[in-house]
Amino acid sequence: ASVGFHLHHLLGVLNRLMTYSKGHNLSEEQFVYLKSEGVEDSRISPENLIQHFTKGIDEFLSYLKTVPEIRLTEFREVGRKQLPSTVIGLLFHAAEHTQRHIGQLLVTVSVVKNLD
């Protein structure tokens, strides 16, 4: 997958997992964003995508600072199927998912650089 896909996808994933960890359902706007992941849009510049990704990471890190330790084991339902999780489970999944995609992004960048 492209570098742009990974950044776009991760931004959406972090936003969705943060929403679920707060005990909320996804908004219509979040569903629209989800459907747009993986769809190329030449109107989005790399600089704009990086700026939005950085902002999303900053928002997620700021949110983490507000989560009281006592809430970490609270039950949360995820998605349309209302799958069971906990706040800490969702936050851990956000970290793991981000780490995996950043790894894939770095491999993609390395391969593209070696093509030159």
Side-chain angles (χ1 to χ4, degrees):
S2 72
V3 170
F5 165 78
H6 290 295
L7 294 177
H8 195 232
H9 173 65
L10 280 174
L11 188 57
V13 167
L14 291 175
N15 181 270
R16 291 188 292 275
L17 291 172
M18 182 169 49
T19 298
Y20 290 133
S21 74
K22 292 176 180 179
H24 301 143
N25 292 320
L26 298 184
S27 68
E28 196 58 42
E29 182 179 309
Q30 287 170 304
F31 281 114
V32 169
Y33 189 93
L34 176 61
K35 289 179 183 177
S36 76
E37 290 176 23
V39 176
E40 280 194 42
D41 187 344
S42 60
R43 298 171 296 168
I44 301 173
S45 70
E47 294 80 13
N48 189 283
L49 187 56
I50 291 168
Q51 182 181 34
H52 279 92
F53 180 72
T54 301
K55 182 181 176 196
I57 292 290
D58 289 344
E59 287 174 4
F60 194 83
L61 292 174
S62 293
Y63 168 66
L64 287 178
K65 294 175 186 177
T66 70
V67 179
E69 185 178 339
I70 196 162
R71 284 192 42 222
L72 293 175
T73 57
E74 287 180 3
F75 177 79
R76 293 291 185 263
E77 293 178 328
V78 179
R80 293 179 178 152
K81 293 184 179 182
Q82 300 294 285
L83 298 173
S85 189
T86 59
V87 172
I88 198 167
L90 291 163
L91 299 178
F92 183 86
H93 182 64
E96 181 275 331
H97 197 86
T98 301
Q99 182 180 8
R100 184 166 47 91
H101 276 280
I102 293 296
Q104 291 172 339
L105 180 152
L106 293 173
V107 167
T108 301
V109 168
S110 177
V111 168
V112 169
K113 279 184 171 181
N114 288 328
L115 292 177
D116 291 338

